[in-house]
Amino acid sequence: MSTTQPHLASHFNSPQQQFDSGKLGIWLFLTTEILLFSGLFCAYAVYRSNHPDIFAFAHQYLNKWLGALNTLILISSSFTMAWSVRAAQLNQKNLCTTLLAITILCGSAFLSVKYIEYKNKWQEHLLPGPRYNPRELPPAEAEALDDQSRDRKGATWEGGAASTLPHGRSLTVAALIPPTETFRAPIGPAGLNPAWVDNDRSSRFSMSWLAPTPSLEPEPNNTHIFFGIYFLMTGLHAIHVLVGISLITWLLLRTTRGDFSPQYFAPIDFTALYWHIVDLIWIFLFPLLYLIGNT
Amino acid sequence: MTTANYLTHPRGIRSWLLTLDHKRIGIMYLVSTLAAFSLGGLFAMIVRTQLLSPNGAIFTVAKDYDHYNQMFTLHGAIMIFLVLIPGVPGALGNFVLPLMLGARDVAFPRLNLFSYYLYVSGALIVILSIILGAVDTGWTFYTPYSSDPDIGSRDAVSLMVFGIFILGFSSILTGMNFIVTIHKLRPSPPNGMTWFRMPLFLWSLYATAVIQILATPILGITLLLLIMERTLHVGIFSPRFGGDPILFQHFFWFYSHPAVYIMILPAMGIMSEVIPTFSRKPIFGYHFVAISSLAIAIIGFLVWGHHMFPNGQSTLLSTIFSFLTMCVAIPSAIKVWNWLATMYKGSISLKTPMCYALAFLFLFTLGGLSGIYLGSLSLNVHVHDTYFVVAHFHFVMFGGTLMGFLSGLHYWWPKMTGKLYNENPARLACALIFLGFNTTFLPQFLLGSHGMPRRSATYLPEFAPYHILSSLGAGIQLLGFILAAAVLIHSLFRGRQSPPNPWGAATLEWSCPSPPPHDNFSTPPLVGDPYDHANLVWISDQEGYRRSQEPEARSQKSQT
């Protein structure tokens, strides 16, 4: 039996039984994945319903075009992944290899865009907890403004720069990690004119378009909670993408080795299901985090 | 018996550590959970010793009371996450489930081994957290007590919580494996295993697995969020950073209330095997017992709010939760009545497993009834966080789950080891444990109703008689457990060889030799009624039972 069915484990009676068991197993696993994320969705729902102002304000720091790009990338990768299952079923080995490779590339592209976004958030101090401090300045500027900012209080929409930093952090301490000029959100007590930012479309190649401008409204308390939820949700999702890429790389190696056939393609099928769930979760994350109305 | 069985095929420590055999993995789980049980019991004994005196017998000065907090935290966390949750499914379930089903193994043997090693890693991390600085938050890890690093010394919380996070995944994988095995690996018709020919232990393991899969991921994300709160201060649970501590309680109990059914349901399944076997009668109301397991699993998801009646929950919500809590008593009561009806006019033989089963019935009923008290809104406010609660959950968890576990352990011991133990000392151990248990926990109901708060290192002098009685009971239990362990260990070396079916049970695991061969069944077994004892006859020269009808030829063939 083992010669005719090289992939049939000894405790199964038939390849069909083995395949069905695996399929049920992966669906149960995906249920637990959804439930794992559901805790975060639940936290999101609780905080958004209790503090809609935080979400309406803070989501403006996210770049919806990058989010949309990532959505497009992941949906395309789901398509190539689904097609690779079909290719394996039809014994089209080269096509299957190509499609798996494209899926890996898409996954990597997603993570690259995510990296750019994270790096920007890091440099803008758009971080959870006490590290949240987007209004801070490079040390030189901070020093120069130490006196001026108090005079400017009320003149700009922030309504009081240094003195209202969350958790009373002083500017000089908070500015220990100087953000680079190009990535800084063009807002804040540095005296940048919001109008200039709004009208400026030519600066997109200097990457300052990565950090959109919050509209003119007072910042609610505890805005950092949004970024806590943002990083937890997208971070846990990114880990899942990373796992998916590793799994697909493993599939790619096995495909080139010729492991799969129309009789045995279960690993591709199951990994594809996992990849679709990862995609699906992002499809919920994108509108929930990036596309919040201002009302 | 000279033929190779699963214990000897193949030999060597490596063949054990890398085994994919569900029976060996079950044995490894058994050894691990019993080791964890000893550790948890040690902490319990420290707690009970401390409470011998109103001002504390061990930690006598106020600055040492933190250590008392650590002791009850470790007792709770170890007993729940390392013993009660993996105990019956991991150890007995892994061993018995494929045998009862007539399968050669669980659906995913490698995943099964992986889940065992996740359990070991999680357990080691929990123990490491004890060494590096014991946690003193209570096993519930309530925020902000657990989330604010500045209150006391709680450096180890993250580590312990991470260990429990890993244990959760071990539990999920076991549950997945069981569900897929029961769905897909049942022997196929015409002589196969249909849903309603399944022994009730499998129904209860199935219901348990459903809870494990649907509830444990929530614990995972909750504990992950707690770690994130502690390291990154994300502001979800900690009020200091704008978070909501009650949200933590909702998240935590959304897992941890269903988790008590993860603990009790498998024990109920053991009752449904042991009681018919030793009453020599088919189980009464098979379908009701089977479906009530699923009913408990489903309703059990909807009652978590009864842990939070005084915690600022709205009255409407509390009323609904209280009502649903009463509802979950119905399927539990159905089971108890069916077991009683099974025993009625049965030919009861008081072998050790049956003694533990009777202890279970008595203790679980008391525990369950006190649960009705706690589920009623007004009384709950009075006894919330008192020893009444402590007594209640020890009656259901210890008196229920652990008695069930001991019953199952003594029931399947001859199958697992191939050895018979001495009945009389084992019965004596059971009696000691039962006596000690009641001496320990019955006074705690009185303590609680008189207002003694739980988790307190000292108490008012008027509580002293109850506490001393309670500690005395703990000592009796300790003697009982030592005796039970001695009897079982003695049987390993001096026990008589067990026949395939020493009890006269009709389920499939008794149709293969004791201990079973490596691949369980060489040919798919014929599946009959799991509770039809009528054609099992006592063969006196083998000291065991045999089928008198046609499947006999088959069982003889597998023996030689």
Side-chain angles (χ1 to χ4, degrees):
Chain A
M1 197 181 213
S2 61
T3 48
T4 51
Q5 303 285 352
H7 297 290
L8 183 64
S10 65
H11 60 288
F12 290 112
N13 292 325
S14 65
Q16 188 62 39
Q17 190 188 28
Q18 181 171 6
F19 181 79
D20 290 348
S21 302
K23 194 98 170 186
L24 181 59
I26 189 75
W27 274 110
L28 290 173
F29 174 72
L30 296 181
T31 312
T32 69
E33 286 285 7
I34 290 170
L35 285 163
L36 186 74
F37 275 94
S38 74
L40 289 170
F41 282 110
C42 183
Y44 176 97
V46 168
Y47 282 96
R48 182 156 174 195
S49 63
N50 285 349
H51 308 287
D53 48 332
I54 290 180
F55 285 75
F57 176 84
H59 93 280
Q60 301 171 100
Y61 282 112
L62 305 182
N63 186 308
K64 51 175 72 87
W65 295 109
L66 284 183
L69 176 66
N70 258 351
T71 311
L72 197 67
I73 291 173
L74 267 199
I75 291 180
S76 318
S77 78
S78 253
F79 171 69
T80 55
M81 192 70 217
W83 194 0
S84 76
V85 179
R86 187 68 189 144
Q89 286 172 336
L90 297 175
N91 217 6
Q92 296 162 322
K93 191 178 146 190
N94 290 335
L95 180 63
C96 185
T97 315
T98 316
L99 289 167
L100 288 174
I102 295 175
T103 313
I104 295 172
L105 283 178
C106 285
S108 312
F110 176 89
L111 287 180
S112 308
V113 173
K114 211 70 227 159
Y115 168 75
I116 292 170
E117 287 188 85
Y118 276 3
K119 191 177 177 200
N120 171 255
K121 301 286 173 298
W122 177 265
Q123 289 173 331
E124 294 301 323
H125 298 260
L126 292 163
L127 297 169
R131 291 185 190 79
Y132 173 81
N133 204 349
R135 310 256 177 89
E136 73 191 32
L137 305 163
E141 256 181 278
E143 213 173 313
L145 279 167
D146 217 12
D147 308 318
Q148 297 175 28
S149 59
R150 263 173 241 115
D151 307 333
R152 287 168 178 260
K153 185 158 40 173
T156 50
W157 60 269
E158 303 89 342
S163 53
T164 57
L165 287 177
H167 319 293
R169 285 203 151 208
S170 81
L171 269 178
T172 39
V173 173
L176 278 177
I177 310 163
T180 60
E181 186 59 35
T182 45
F183 275 100
R184 257 182 39 69
I187 54 160
L192 289 177
N193 181 357
W196 170 78
V197 177
D198 280 347
N199 296 329
D200 185 34
R201 290 287 173 267
S202 63
S203 65
R204 55 192 308 185
F205 294 112
S206 74
M207 306 281 277
S208 65
W209 60 284
L210 272 174
T213 319
S215 61
L216 308 182
E217 55 181 299
E219 176 173 339
N221 288 330
N222 285 326
T223 310
H224 73 93
I225 291 178
F226 176 84
F227 290 97
I229 290 175
Y230 166 81
F231 276 103
L232 284 170
M233 291 182 115
T234 57
L236 191 62
H237 178 262
I239 290 171
H240 279 82
V241 173
L242 213 55
V243 171
I245 291 176
S246 323
L247 287 173
I248 299 168
T249 311
W250 169 69
L251 291 180
L252 189 65
L253 292 175
R254 289 191 68 180
T255 311
T256 49
R257 213 169 61 192
D259 277 6
F260 300 120
S261 64
Q263 285 77 42
Y264 177 69
F265 57 90
I268 302 186
D269 200 16
F270 302 160
T271 310
L273 282 173
Y274 169 81
W275 190 253
H276 296 325
I277 283 286
V278 173
D279 183 15
L280 194 63
I281 289 168
W282 177 259
I283 287 173
F284 280 93
L285 289 185
F286 172 56
L288 286 178
L289 293 170
Y290 289 75
L291 304 180
I292 297 172
N294 283 328
T295 50
Chain B
M1 179 156 309
T2 50
T3 48
N5 59 50
Y6 81 98
L7 292 166
T8 55
H9 169 89
R11 289 174 185 278
I13 185 79
R14 201 181 131 85
S15 77
W16 275 86
L17 292 180
L18 299 178
T19 185
L20 300 180
D21 184 348
H22 68 97
K23 299 182 286 302
R24 287 189 168 192
I25 294 172
I27 297 289
M28 297 200 292
Y29 261 114
L30 182 65
V31 173
S32 315
T33 47
L34 289 178
F37 177 71
S38 313
L39 189 64
L42 176 75
F43 289 123
M45 291 312 292
I46 296 174
V47 166
R48 281 319 320 169
T49 313
Q50 160 77 3
L51 296 174
L52 271 172
S53 145
N55 292 319
I58 301 177
F59 311 115
T60 45
V61 276
K63 70 177 171 55
D64 288 341
Y65 292 162
D66 263 0
H67 295 308
Y68 174 78
N69 296 347
Q70 292 166 355
M71 293 304 123
F72 71 68
T73 302
L74 296 174
H75 167 67
I78 288 175
M79 284 301 193
I80 284 173
F81 294 112
L82 294 180
V83 181
L84 292 174
I85 288 179
V88 182
L92 301 178
N94 254 325
F95 188 92
V96 173
L97 181 137
L99 286 167
M100 273 190 161
L101 207 59
R104 285 192 289 272
D105 207 324
V106 291
F108 310 116
R110 268 183 294 183
L111 205 62
N112 201 12
L113 184 69
F114 179 59
S115 137
Y116 172 71
Y117 281 114
L118 279 183
Y119 169 77
V120 173
S121 330
L124 289 178
I125 291 174
V126 168
I127 290 168
L128 189 68
S129 81
I130 299 174
I131 297 165
L132 293 183
V135 180
D136 63 353
T137 59
W139 76 276
T140 47
F141 307 111
Y142 268 19
T143 55
Y145 201 54
S146 59
S147 63
D148 271 10
D150 300 348
I151 313 173
S153 57
R154 286 177 233 324
D155 308 329
V157 171
S158 294
L159 200 58
M160 181 178 251
V161 160
F162 182 65
I164 293 170
F165 177 76
I166 291 178
L167 289 169
F169 277 93
S170 161
S171 176
I172 288 175
L173 296 181
T174 303
M176 264 173 62
N177 229 333
F178 285 3
I179 288 193
V180 176
T181 309
I182 290 176
H183 268 280
K184 298 294 178 190
L185 263 61
R186 282 176 289 135
S188 47
N191 286 319
M193 178 72 78
T194 58
W195 279 98
F196 288 106
R197 273 186 195 166
M198 285 203 318
L200 289 164
F201 184 52
L202 297 186
W203 274 99
S204 69
L205 282 180
Y206 185 84
T208 307
V210 169
I211 311 177
Q212 282 176 311
I213 283 183
L214 295 184
T216 318
I218 310 292
L219 177 76
I221 195 68
T222 308
L223 297 180
L224 207 59
L225 282 173
L226 183 57
I227 296 174
M228 290 299 144
E229 188 71 86
R230 291 176 54 80
T231 50
L232 302 176
H233 311 301
V234 288
I236 290 184
F237 295 146
S238 171
R240 184 199 280 194
F241 302 108
D244 181 357
I246 302 292
L247 187 64
F248 176 84
Q249 298 182 14
H250 276 293
F251 274 34
F252 183 81
W253 289 116
F254 185 84
Y255 165 75
S256 290
H257 196 82
V260 305
Y261 299 110
I262 295 180
M263 303 177 218
I264 192 71
L265 273 171
M268 291 171 157
I270 292 171
M271 289 306 105
S272 307
E273 299 305 319
V274 169
I275 289 176
T277 300
F278 293 98
S279 306
R280 317 271 329 134
K281 259 186 72 188
I283 184 95
F284 183 88
Y286 173 94
H287 288 81
F288 279 88
V289 180
I291 300 299
S292 65
S293 292
L294 292 178
I296 289 175
I298 292 163
I299 304 174
F301 270 102
L302 307 173
V303 300
W304 79 89
H306 67 215
H307 294 269
M308 302 160 59
F309 284 154
N311 300 11
Q313 201 167 244
S314 78
T315 316
L316 176 67
L317 206 55
S318 290
T319 313
I320 293 170
F321 276 127
S322 177
F323 171 74
L324 289 166
T325 304
M326 304 294 170
C327 289
V328 88
I330 295 170
S332 310
I334 287 176
K335 281 176 184 289
V336 171
W337 285 113
N338 279 316
W339 294 325
L340 291 179
T342 305
M343 285 158 63
Y344 179 66
K345 288 190 174 174
S347 162
I348 297 173
S349 74
L350 288 175
K351 301 276 193 204
T352 314
M354 189 61 174
C355 295
Y356 280 110
L358 294 177
F360 173 99
L361 274 181
F362 181 78
L363 301 177
F364 176 75
T365 305
L366 271 185
L369 287 176
S370 60
I372 307 262
Y373 284 54
L374 284 168
S376 51
L377 280 172
S378 50
L379 190 65
N380 182 286
V381 174
H382 177 61
V383 294
H384 194 89
D385 266 348
T386 67
Y387 265 71
F388 195 90
V389 178
V390 178
H392 160 70
F393 69 68
H394 279 90
F395 263 83
V396 281
M397 292 293 98
F398 186 162
T401 306
L402 213 63
M403 290 295 169
F405 177 75
L406 287 168
S407 175
L409 183 64
H410 285 84
Y411 181 61
W412 283 300
W413 185 263
K415 184 54 68 184
M416 294 170 126
T417 62
K419 303 288 183 186
L420 293 170
Y421 48 85
N422 280 337
E423 281 290 341
N424 281 336
R427 285 187 191 121
L428 179 64
C430 173
L432 279 175
I433 292 171
F434 181 72
L435 181 73
F437 179 90
N438 284 306
T439 319
T440 310
F441 294 109
L442 277 177
Q444 295 190 1
F445 278 125
L446 300 173
L447 276 174
S449 59
H450 292 180
M452 167 80 204
R454 64 193 283 206
R455 295 179 171 174
S456 171
T458 57
Y459 51 87
L460 297 174
E462 62 252 40
F463 293 128
Y466 300 115
H467 269 300
I468 291 170
L469 197 60
S470 186
S471 297
L472 184 75
I476 301 175
Q477 285 181 65
L478 181 65
L479 287 179
F481 278 114
I482 290 172
L483 181 58
V487 171
L488 291 179
I489 291 170
H490 174 264
S491 80
L492 285 181
F493 300 102
R494 297 287 166 82
R496 283 174 296 130
Q497 175 63 43
S498 164
N501 193 351
W503 313 126
T507 45
L508 288 178
E509 77 271 27
W510 303 103
S511 68
C512 61
S514 312
H518 172 66
D519 57 356
N520 297 356
F521 303 99
S522 40
T523 51
L526 284 179
V527 181
D529 185 329
Y531 300 104
D532 178 19
H533 307 101
N535 62 356
L536 287 155
V537 291
W538 173 257
I539 311 287
S540 54
D541 61 334
Q542 288 194 353
E543 295 183 63
Y545 289 81
R546 280 278 199 87
R547 282 190 184 280
S548 60
Q549 306 199 349
E550 39 86 15
E552 191 191 11
R554 181 178 299 276
S555 71
Q556 213 162 16
K557 199 171 90 183
S558 66
Q559 264 178 48
T560 47

